[in-house]
Amino acid sequence: MNELEKIDPLIFDLIQKEADRQNKEINLIASENYTHPAVLEAVGSILTNKYAEGYPGKRYYGGCEYVDLVEIQAQERCKKLFEHENYDFHVNVQPHAGSQANMSVYFAAMKPGDVVMGMSLAAGGHLTHGHSANFSGIVYKPVQYFVDPLTEELNYDAINDLAQQHKPKLIVAGASAYSKIIDFKKFSEIAKNCGAYFLADIAHIAGLIAAKLHPSPIGYADFVTSTTHKTLRGPRGAIALCKPELKEQLDKAVFPIMQGGPLMHVIGGKAVCFKLALENSFVEYQKQVLENAKIMAEIFKELDYRIVAGGTENHLFIVDLRSKNITGRKAETTLQTAGITVSRSCIPYDPEKPWITSGIRIGSPAVTTRGFKIEDCKQLVYFIDEAIKNHENEQKLLAIRSKVQELCTKYPLDKWL
Ligand code: DSN
């Protein structure tokens, strides 16, 4: 019996149940993944006992000689992962989460009340890109850009016009629900034209960028932020990168302005994650992520579903469900009954409220880690279609759930959980 089971059987039991759920259900949430057991070990280690406010070599606590080395490893490996032959950059591995990474950049680049321009959440952006309910839209003056109503893609001319009109201090590129390549060079030109800083939030596509399967913002963006638990397949946490000349501003914004003690156990997990991401197998994994997303979008189209922006060039896409007479919320609960986890998603200019939505977001990173290949992904879309068509029929949904579990047993998560 392990210590947790002995001391807290309730929490132990809930963790077992969650592991069982992860093992028996198919996860298509685009922002989730299964991190490696080696990462879990680092995150569950005694590094959690250590306070280390400050940075390597300059801490406010004694006894930091080993955690300093852990943090330096994380920084150096991250640098190698995103290295660019022409451009140097600085890495801060301390942000606790994506929101904190973005908040640090905002503190580094702006004063309260300055104008920040980002993609609207309703169009596929993120809360921290200027949503009125978030610090980014409360502390700063937000200007939001959308996607083109016809193509549902970013319209760089329209974004430039908006930037000229509002003269933001910071422009954010990046999204949570956008399936096309983002042109970071164009964003940097737009920012330059209006004298703004440029932040590329690559939380969703960081793994693809590291594998050189999506253009990198390094060299174009003043700041780059990312979470480490999505396509990067690491621990829950984040990183913030910047041009060398902005290092002092960024580091000061992370600590002491925004955070106190860094989570050294998570930084240990980030270091392990970057080591794994530097292996050749990580590139193969990301190629499969792209192929799996692409085939799923194609099968949906064959089955007469509309895909937002016509398809996908990354790890995710949004399915417009209006022609199937089901909302995103209903589809999400229907698929949950059938053993498939997805997140509902607004489609651009959605007639439904954000709590309901007209779409679902489908992502391939987690199933790809699990081992799914093209044929499994095709089968998965057929299951989804069958479930959506039978959303009123619980017996049918439970029968699909059995088939889903059969597919899951082909790819057990024993190695990962
Ligand atoms: N935006 C969330 C997602 O993509 O699921 C994460 O913050």
Side-chain angles (χ1 to χ4, degrees), residues 75-355:
Q75 286 176 300
E76 285 179 355
R77 292 173 186 179
C78 182
K79 212 164 170 182
K80 187 144 184 51
L81 192 60
F82 293 104
E83 82 185 344
H84 192 296
E85 54 184 357
N86 299 325
Y87 302 104
D88 189 19
F89 57 94
H90 167 65
V91 176
N92 188 312
V93 292
Q94 293 193 1
H96 299 334
S99 292
Q100 278 68 52
N102 285 349
M103 192 187 258
S104 304
V105 169
Y106 289 17
F107 275 126
M110 293 188 283
K111 291 196 175 51
D114 280 348
V115 177
V116 61
M117 191 169 123
M119 189 175 185
S120 154
L121 181 67
H126 189 254
L127 270 175
T128 57
H129 296 181
H131 193 279
S132 58
N134 180 262
F135 84 89
S136 56
I138 295 171
V139 179
Y140 304 96
K141 206 170 144 217
V143 173
Q144 301 269 269
Y145 59 85
F146 292 79
V147 288
D148 185 273
L150 289 179
T151 63
E152 296 175 315
E153 294 192 28
L154 292 168
N155 178 334
Y156 296 93
D157 290 336
I159 295 169
N160 187 46
D161 290 347
L162 203 62
Q164 286 303 319
Q165 192 186 336
H166 294 278
K167 301 278 185 230
K169 193 77 194 283
L170 177 79
I171 296 180
V172 190
S176 288
Y178 184 69
S179 61
K180 295 303 179 86
I181 299 286
I182 298 177
D183 191 333
F184 294 119
K185 181 168 184 277
K186 277 196 182 146
F187 265 109
S188 78
E189 286 161 4
I190 292 169
K192 210 168 181 187
N193 287 345
C194 67
Y197 284 112
F198 170 33
L199 160 64
D201 177 346
I202 60 168
H204 264 267
I205 52 176
L208 297 172
I209 291 173
K212 305 203 174 358
L213 298 170
H214 185 293
S216 171
I218 298 293
Y220 295 121
D222 298 297
F223 301 93
V224 178
T225 55
S226 179
T227 48
T228 44
H229 49 272
K230 298 187 177 87
T231 44
L232 272 181
R233 211 162 54 174
R236 192 156 290 272
I239 48 174
L241 281 43
C242 66
K243 289 186 169 166
E245 61 270 27
L246 296 165
K247 172 183 184 304
E248 255 176 61
Q249 267 165 267
L250 177 68
D251 281 354
K252 200 170 135 202
V254 175
F255 171 83
I257 294 181
M258 207 265 311
Q259 286 181 180
L263 308 176
M264 292 315 306
H265 54 305
V266 182
I267 290 174
K270 289 173 192 173
V272 179
C273 146
F274 300 142
K275 183 172 196 289
L276 291 167
L278 282 162
E279 289 177 359
N280 291 338
S281 58
F282 188 74
V283 176
E284 294 313 308
Y285 161 69
Q286 296 296 344
K287 284 183 184 161
Q288 193 67 53
V289 163
L290 288 180
E291 278 183 32
N292 285 349
K294 208 175 173 151
I295 191 71
M296 285 195 280
E298 275 166 22
I299 301 295
F300 270 113
K301 282 199 262 182
E302 275 176 30
L303 294 170
D304 215 20
Y305 289 80
R306 194 184 80 83
I307 304 299
V308 169
T312 180
E313 294 169 346
N314 60 23
H315 63 300
L316 64 76
F317 56 92
I318 314 299
V319 186
D320 179 350
L321 296 167
R322 287 174 302 173
S323 67
K324 304 287 175 179
N325 293 320
I326 185 169
T327 63
R329 184 165 153 71
K330 180 70 186 161
E332 184 187 293
T333 51
T334 296
L335 292 171
Q336 195 59 58
T337 309
I340 300 168
T341 319
V342 300
S343 43
R344 61 189 182 277
S345 174
C346 288
I347 57 167
Y349 308 96
D350 202 323
E352 296 284 356
K353 293 206 160 59
W355 182 248

Side-chain angles (χ1 to χ4, degrees), residues 38-54:
V39 172
L40 291 178
E41 251 178 74
V43 174
S45 75
I46 48 79
L47 291 176
T48 196
N49 297 338
K50 191 72 199 95
Y51 250 117
E53 280 178 10

